[in-house]
Amino acid sequence: MDQDQAFMARALELAALAKGKTSPNPMVGAVVVSDGTVLGEGYHHKAGAPHAEILALGQAGLRARGETLYVSLEPCCHFGRTPPCTGAIIRAGIKRVVTATLDPNPLVAGKGLQALQQAGLKVRSGVLDAEARRLNEVYFKYIVARQPFVTLKAGMSLDGKIATRSGDSKWITGTESRNLVQHVRAENDAVLVGIGTVLADDPLLTVRLPGAEKKPLRVVADSSLRIPLESQLVQTARDYPVAVAVVDGQCPPGKKEMLREQGVEVWELPGVDGLVDILALLQELGRRELVSLLLEGGSLLNANFLKARAVDKFIVFIAPVIIGGSGAPGPFGGAGAATLAGALHLTALECQKIGADLMITGYPG
């Protein structure tokens, strides 16, 4: 690893400290370096807060003049919640800027580096590009598609069951896996389940971590608005936000008003075959600048997302238990693939042992 890669790795490490906290902005880290010595560093903490470059330059002070700035994403060159970073970099006297990858935001998209070059700075881009893109996979999806990055989480037995034939599902996976899911939940802007999960399990879907500040929007896909008023989701809606997505025209008389009185948002969306249109739901989430969605659905909702090709990442926990039984459900219902050639194949697989369970992550091929 050369010096540019080493300091870019540090910038990426800094950026990752704010995972799940910068929405709708990307995670960015920056390091000011002189002859192999770090003069200043910083990372973007949250939307509206100073950008990584500003913090790193501030820490370096006057020593930054004539030196190199490493930044994990192309510096912005437009006014948003904060002033453009390119101007601050030029004023600080930085002579060389190294970036990992370009910002796909049309307001930037190469213009940031161009502004620096026009000011006489040396520029290098593409250092640890793949790592930077993976770190900001959520931001890249949202800024291009204006839809949230969808992570499907499932926990199942070794033989692929998410419950017994009687519906018993607590708990298939171990404590360590369930604790890790809390961290994953805290990294997402919204959590989605289907009405079947609500009726069967009455979940709370909050982030239960010590000192947790994140309150992801809890969303229920409920085509005909069957969610019980006494459910935990409805009863906690004033403290933890809840939205119910219903097919337009399928609301029971008065139910929508009763839910809204409890603090629940009701989204009336187009339907497909009597169910909430997945694409319309994702567009609504994107319109609200919710850039990441954790799908914790049952077999029907999971199947609908697969059918819509709407899953960006899979996280599957496999417990060392065999349930058996043809009547026990698996994580994906529906008709499924008719042939292996039509099955969804995953790439970039990673496997990790979590307690007694295995956690497999992968991306659609």
Side-chain angles (χ1 to χ4, degrees):
M1 180 180 289
D2 64 22
Q3 179 169 289
D4 281 354
Q5 291 176 326
F7 286 116
M8 188 59 70
R10 175 56 181 165
L12 290 169
E13 182 182 23
L14 288 167
L17 293 175
K19 193 169 186 180
K21 300 176 182 178
T22 61
S23 176
N25 289 354
M27 293 173 279
V28 183
V31 185
V32 179
V33 176
S34 174
D35 293 327
T37 299
V38 173
L39 302 179
E41 57 183 29
Y43 66 94
H44 184 46
H45 290 246
K46 63 179 181 179
H51 287 191
E53 302 95 313
I54 304 304
L55 294 174
L57 291 171
Q59 195 175 96
L62 296 177
R63 297 176 297 166
R65 186 164 296 278
E67 307 302 348
T68 298
L69 172 68
Y70 294 87
V71 58
S72 60
L73 187 69
E74 178 185 10
C76 64
C77 54
H78 67 287
F79 280 90
R81 290 182 173 90
T82 59
C85 290
T86 50
I89 293 169
I90 295 167
R91 289 192 298 274
I94 290 289
K95 291 301 180 184
R96 180 172 181 259
V97 174
V98 181
T99 67
T101 191
L102 298 181
D103 189 336
N105 187 336
L107 295 174
V108 187
K111 301 182 185 71
L113 295 187
Q114 185 179 21
L116 296 175
Q117 288 176 315
Q118 289 175 345
L121 280 70
K122 294 180 179 179
V123 170
R124 182 187 180 190
S125 185
V127 178
L128 302 186
D129 178 87
E131 292 86 343
R133 288 175 175 272
R134 181 68 79 203
L135 177 67
N136 271 314
E137 59 190 6
V138 168
Y139 171 75
F140 273 65
K141 162 71 182 296
Y142 172 74
I143 207 68
V144 172
R146 290 296 166 179
Q147 294 178 16
F149 183 94
V150 178
T151 300
L152 187 152
K153 184 274 296 180
M156 64 184 185
S157 64
L158 192 60
D159 57 336
K161 308 295 186 180
I162 60 173
T164 67
R165 57 184 169 81
S166 67
D168 184 19
S169 61
K170 293 185 178 180
W171 297 100
I172 292 176
T173 55
T175 302
E176 295 88 348
S177 294
R178 298 198 300 275
N179 287 342
L180 181 56
V181 168
Q182 291 295 316
H183 289 276
V184 174
R185 195 178 283 174
E187 293 171 359
N188 282 268
D189 292 343
V191 179
L192 174 66
V193 296
I195 184 59
T197 297
V198 175
L199 296 176
D201 300 335
D202 191 22
L204 192 56
L205 302 178
T206 54
V207 176
R208 297 184 291 278
L209 295 172
E213 297 180 2
K214 189 76 173 275
K215 292 184 178 181
L217 176 66
R218 301 171 296 167
V219 185
V220 181
D222 182 6
S223 57
S224 54
L225 211 58
R226 292 187 290 154
I227 187 169
L229 296 176
E230 64 274 14
S231 66
Q232 289 196 93
L233 288 169
V234 174
Q235 291 298 312
T236 58
R238 297 196 184 282
D239 296 317
Y240 299 90
V242 177
V244 180
V246 61
V247 175
D248 191 15
Q250 293 187 188
C251 293
K255 184 72 173 287
K256 177 172 59 176
E257 289 70 24
M258 286 188 285
L259 286 169
R260 285 175 171 166
E261 287 175 1
Q262 296 273 49
V264 177
E265 291 187 63
V266 178
W267 300 347
E268 298 178 77
L269 302 174
V272 175
D273 297 328
L275 301 175
V276 173
D277 182 355
I278 299 301
L279 178 58
L281 176 57
L282 293 177
Q283 289 174 338
E284 181 65 21
L285 289 163
R287 188 179 68 80
R288 295 167 181 265
E289 289 195 332
L290 298 166
V291 307
S292 54
L293 173 67
L294 179 62
L295 176 57
E296 298 195 50
S299 59
L300 177 59
L301 187 60
N302 288 346
N304 287 337
F305 266 79
L306 282 192
K307 184 178 179 180
R309 298 287 177 175
V311 179
D312 298 296
K313 182 178 183 178
F314 292 83
I315 301 178
V316 180
F317 295 89
I318 303 176
V321 59
I322 295 176
I323 293 175
S326 58
F332 302 99
T339 65
L340 285 177
L344 179 63
H345 293 260
L346 302 187
T347 63
L349 291 179
E350 293 184 4
C351 185
Q352 183 179 354
K353 199 166 186 296
I354 308 295
D357 304 331
L358 291 180
M359 180 181 73
I360 298 176
T361 62
Y363 298 82

